[in-house]
Amino acid sequence: MNALAATNRNFKLAARLLGLDSKLEKSLLIPFREIKVECTIPKDDGTLASFVGFRVQHDNARGPMKGGIRYHPEVDPDEVNALAQLMTWKTAVANIPYGGAKGGIGCNPGDLSISELERLTRVFTQKIHDLIGIHIDVPAPDMGTGPQTMAWILDEYSKFHGHSPAVVTGKPIDLGGSLGRDAATGRGVLFAAEALLNEHGKTVSGQRFAIQGFGNVGSWAAQLIHEQGGKVVAVSDITGAIKNSKGIDVPSLMKHVKEHKGVKGFHGADAIEPQSVLVEDCDILIPAALGGVINRENANDIKAKFIVEAANHPTDPEADEILSKKGVVILPDIYANSGGVTVSYFEWVQNIQGFMWEEEKVNDVLKTYMTKGFKDVKEMCKTHDCDLRMGAFTLGVNRVARATVLRGWEA
């Protein structure tokens, strides 16, 4: 089942639990606006190249739309639609005043020079500048983009609208980016895991973690878990996978990854098959890479008691059923990885106020939001007698539905 089908399925189950009428249900699913633009740029060798840029703006009942911009060769419209919709529910679960969006450009950023990427980003911004904005739609980095991409968008947008640092988040610190943004998703994963473990009378300290994916989110989660006394026993990334049942020395691994561009060959652990990291003996599994990695093929072999979804949509609906029968508790992505968008919200707030926060404040307020979010999800689980995934979906969908009705938008 692809991401869109799975997201629609979860939405429909939540709508049924909430007893939404069919007209409202239908209007909540339809995107507010889908934008598709041609971006033609001169390449460094003087030839012209054309790329397709797009933006799906899903819902703005609760505030400006929010979501990443990715540069990737296979940009699937269905997936972008699913991710835009997921952002709508995620911002509602986090209780921040945004709706959902997603977008990007179909290109392979590795094949383009820095100056070609800059020209492409600026042309894309010229095409959509009147459709994004501080109170309309606030983009952020995603796969294949980063703080520099955001800096180019900010500069190009500001040529039309005056200096507008709040038009994008995930910016470099020097241009109004927030302290603590880089670690935010990984730190949110830690706070989410803490909330879940506290519920079961445990703490992070002494628990064994396996982490699939060692990019920004996975590596920050590993460092922060290690600092809290958690044992990271297995890790994988695109280069390979490693395990050490006594616990991996995470600071040494970080040094190794910096030098060798991956976990492969790390001396403080044994090499294992990349897929087997998901089925390693551990207490908590954190999938922090791609979607659909936990499926009916491997769900029966998973030994973790808890799964904290740091990636978007890592668990297939079929695997969900198998795991819940086994008594595995899954903390869903729309809550567990919302630390990133929450700190993006803090960045936007700081830019609008023209007043920047200390990093300690960013982290403290993030913890408050993540802890409250978990309580809210648990409330919905009690009300509707459902698992955490449905608890999070009913919470998000209900907040958006209420805002939609209060604004008089229901069909």
Side-chain angles (χ1 to χ4, degrees), residues 178-179 343 346 357-366:
S178 176
L179 296 170
V343 175
F346 301 163
W357 300 355
E358 296 294 333
E359 186 162 2
E360 193 181 353
K361 177 174 178 179
V362 174
N363 295 339
D364 287 349
V365 184
L366 173 61

Side-chain angles (χ1 to χ4, degrees), residues 42-357:
K43 294 192 74 176
D44 293 344
D45 63 8
T47 59
L48 290 178
S50 270
F51 303 90
V52 177
F54 51 89
R55 184 83 176 154
V56 174
Q57 298 176 328
H58 179 256
D59 191 278
N60 60 356
R62 297 181 62 258
M65 293 161 288
K66 187 93 194 72
I69 286 183
R70 53 175 55 182
Y71 288 1
H72 193 267
E74 288 127 50
V75 176
D76 173 31
D78 270 3
E79 190 186 17
V80 175
N81 251 309
L83 292 168
Q85 187 195 138
L86 215 50
M87 284 303 295
T88 297
W89 316 133
K90 187 186 292 187
T91 51
V93 170
N95 210 11
I96 55 179
Y98 287 142
K102 205 77 173 186
I105 300 176
C107 69
N108 187 347
D111 294 346
L112 299 170
S113 70
I114 298 290
S115 57
E116 287 167 343
L117 283 169
E118 178 176 351
R119 287 196 287 276
L120 182 56
T121 304
R122 289 182 184 277
V123 168
F124 183 48
T125 309
Q126 287 164 17
K127 298 276 176 116
I128 65 165
H129 76 88
D130 51 354
L131 301 169
I132 62 171
I134 298 167
H135 301 293
I136 301 168
D137 176 3
V138 181
D142 201 305
M143 283 161 58
T145 58
Q148 181 58 70
T149 323
M150 298 304 108
W152 291 327
I153 295 175
L154 160 62
D155 183 67
E156 199 60 33
Y157 181 86
S158 296
K159 289 176 185 174
F160 296 95
H161 302 275
H163 185 56
S164 315
V167 71
V168 286
T169 58
K171 298 182 292 293
I173 302 292
D174 296 329
L175 285 176
S178 176
L179 296 170
R181 176 63 188 89
D182 189 43
T185 311
R187 195 176 294 276
V189 168
L190 168 73
F191 293 151
E194 280 179 335
L196 178 64
L197 290 167
N198 290 347
E199 176 83 9
H200 290 82
K202 303 177 196 297
T203 61
V204 167
S205 183
Q207 296 293 316
R208 297 165 307 144
F209 292 79
I211 301 175
Q212 191 233 3
F214 209 67
N216 171 283
V217 182
S219 62
W220 272 112
Q223 287 174 80
L224 297 164
I225 285 162
H226 182 78
E227 284 168 21
Q228 293 293 318
K231 271 205 315 205
V232 179
V233 294
V235 167
S236 74
D237 66 6
I238 46 172
T239 65
I242 53 169
K243 80 173 213 185
N244 180 344
S245 46
K246 294 193 181 74
I248 292 166
D249 177 357
V250 177
S252 300
L253 177 61
M254 292 301 300
K255 251 169 89 176
H256 174 88
V257 169
K258 210 173 172 186
E259 285 164 21
H260 299 89
K261 302 278 184 276
V263 302
K264 192 181 177 187
F266 178 64
H267 291 314
D270 303 318
I272 52 171
E273 282 298 310
Q275 291 78 18
S276 66
V277 78
L278 295 165
V279 297
E280 274 307 316
D281 188 18
C282 65
D283 303 307
I284 296 122
L285 171 64
I286 301 180
L290 295 168
V293 293
I294 299 170
N295 46 45
R296 62 169 181 228
E297 268 79 58
N298 58 13
N300 278 311
D301 304 323
I302 285 174
K303 299 175 187 70
K305 301 173 201 64
F306 302 98
I307 297 175
V308 178
E309 296 188 335
N312 281 323
H313 182 62
T315 315
D316 263 8
E318 289 167 325
D320 248 348
E321 279 176 37
I322 296 167
L323 291 162
S324 71
K325 284 196 184 103
K326 282 174 60 171
V328 178
V329 178
I330 302 176
L331 199 54
D333 51 1
I334 64 167
Y335 163 70
N337 68 23
S338 64
V341 72
T342 304
V343 175
S344 273
Y345 163 59
F346 301 163
E347 181 179 330
W348 180 77
V349 166
Q350 293 169 76
N351 295 154
I352 287 172
Q353 288 187 326
F355 182 81
M356 305 308 285
W357 300 355

